[in-house]
Amino acid sequence: MSKILIIEDEQRMADLLRRGLEEMGYVAFVAYDAEMGIRLFRSGEYDLVISDIVLPKKNGFELVKEVKELSKNIPVIMLTALGTTDDKLEGFDAGADDYMVKPFDIRELEARIRVLLKRKAATETPQEKELSYANLKVDLLTKTVYRGGQEIKLTPKEFNLLVYMVRNPERVLPRAEIAEKVWDTHFDTGTNFIDVYINYLRNKIDRNFDTKLIHTKPGMGFILRSEDEDKA
Ligand code: CA
């Protein structure tokens, strides 16, 4: 259940919003002025903030700035009865993500809430930390490679090439694809730099191990595969 903080000084409006959102399955909290809003925001974990612009003590623009300083990714929807373009621009300047002009239909507000929560969830997908294939492990944060628990030192280019292969295992990777995806360049058939790097990688990844992972498909490209087809 998403937690929404409503900052609105008009009690009737605030209650209407809170009840409406609760009926739609959200958990809603109300602050009646900006200071109380900031206090509540600091003390809880909210998924979204809805703030009026004209508030006692501090206006909604200042409040949004503070909220965004505390939590960069929190979506904020601003409410106003004014609806002038200036208001809107100032709101977006302060960091508001969306804007509703009073009076509005709560279903319209809910549609915007859903969009913003979805966007927030998408940006919060946890960072990919590790890749693995067979007994090969790639730590993407420290850029360290292990095979069977043994650290293997790679140059940045070798590392990028290996990461691409581990992300695309058991599939033939043509030289042109590797050139484009790893080197960001077009493959010129007159050069053999990819073969050179594949050999560097082989020496480091496969030489000391019985099971070879990097295989050449003559005339086609390379494949990362744990089945030892060189022996087969
Ligand atoms: Ca107000």
Side-chain angles (χ1 to χ4, degrees):
M1 267 193 298
S2 298
K3 263 172 87 177
I4 298 180
L5 178 60
I6 301 160
I7 303 149
E8 165 65 88
D9 58 312
E10 288 156 62
Q11 185 137 11
R12 209 181 62 89
M13 178 73 185
D15 290 346
L16 214 68
L17 273 177
R18 185 178 49 75
R19 259 182 288 131
L21 292 174
E22 280 174 355
E23 272 169 28
M24 289 167 171
Y26 297 97
V27 181
F29 294 83
V30 174
Y32 296 100
D33 64 60
E35 276 173 18
M36 185 181 168
I38 290 290
R39 220 168 35 241
L40 279 184
F41 186 74
R42 279 181 189 279
S43 64
E45 288 264 314
Y46 295 92
D47 298 294
L48 186 135
V49 171
I50 298 172
S51 176
D52 191 23
I53 289 177
V54 185
L55 290 168
K57 296 183 188 172
K58 217 180 258 177
N59 72 36
F61 302 125
E62 290 171 68
L63 175 120
V64 170
K65 267 186 207 151
E66 271 184 58
V67 161
K68 288 281 180 172
E69 271 166 24
L70 290 169
S71 169
K72 195 162 57 78
N73 291 323
I74 186 93
V76 177
I77 299 175
M78 297 204 82
L79 307 177
T80 184
L82 309 171
T84 68
T85 321
D86 280 356
D87 250 11
K88 205 166 185 164
L89 289 179
E90 202 176 333
F92 285 129
D93 260 4
D97 299 275
D98 210 340
Y99 198 90
M100 294 290 291
V101 178
K102 291 188 227 173
F104 52 80
D105 187 331
I106 190 141
R107 283 168 302 183
E108 171 66 21
L109 175 67
E110 208 259 338
R112 311 247 184 132
I113 290 172
R114 251 185 292 132
V115 169
L116 291 174
L117 289 178
K118 206 187 268 178
R119 198 195 294 167
K120 178 171 175 264
T123 58
E124 281 171 359
T125 355
Q127 198 186 354
E128 197 182 16
K129 288 180 181 136
E130 196 181 271
L131 297 172
S132 65
Y133 180 77
N135 61 351
L136 198 61
K137 266 197 179 35
V138 180
D139 184 324
L140 294 169
L141 300 182
T142 61
K143 305 215 185 276
T144 318
V145 174
Y146 302 91
R147 182 150 185 206
Q150 191 182 320
E151 187 180 338
I152 295 168
K153 299 237 184 273
L154 298 181
T155 65
K157 277 293 176 205
E158 291 162 359
F159 180 81
N160 291 343
L161 175 58
L162 183 68
V163 165
Y164 190 71
M165 296 188 89
V166 175
R167 282 194 205 277
N168 298 276
E170 296 174 3
R171 171 165 85 77
V172 174
L173 304 171
R175 288 173 179 80
E177 180 184 327
I178 295 174
E180 194 193 320
K181 303 287 173 141
V182 181
W183 270 267
D184 201 16
T185 179
H186 285 288
F187 182 59
D188 169 0
T189 46
T191 62
N192 67 343
F193 67 94
I194 290 170
D195 296 70
V196 170
Y197 276 95
I198 288 281
N199 279 331
Y200 291 157
L201 212 48
R202 263 200 182 121
N203 280 333
K204 296 183 178 178
I205 298 294
D206 279 342
R207 202 178 51 192
N208 300 327
F209 295 86
D210 286 340
T211 303
K212 309 300 178 196
L213 296 178
I214 301 169
H215 306 271
T216 305
K217 287 279 180 186
M220 291 187 279
F222 306 97
I223 184 166
L224 185 76
R225 202 164 159 178
S226 69
E227 185 191 325
D228 201 349
E229 60 184 58
D230 289 353
K231 279 186 191 164

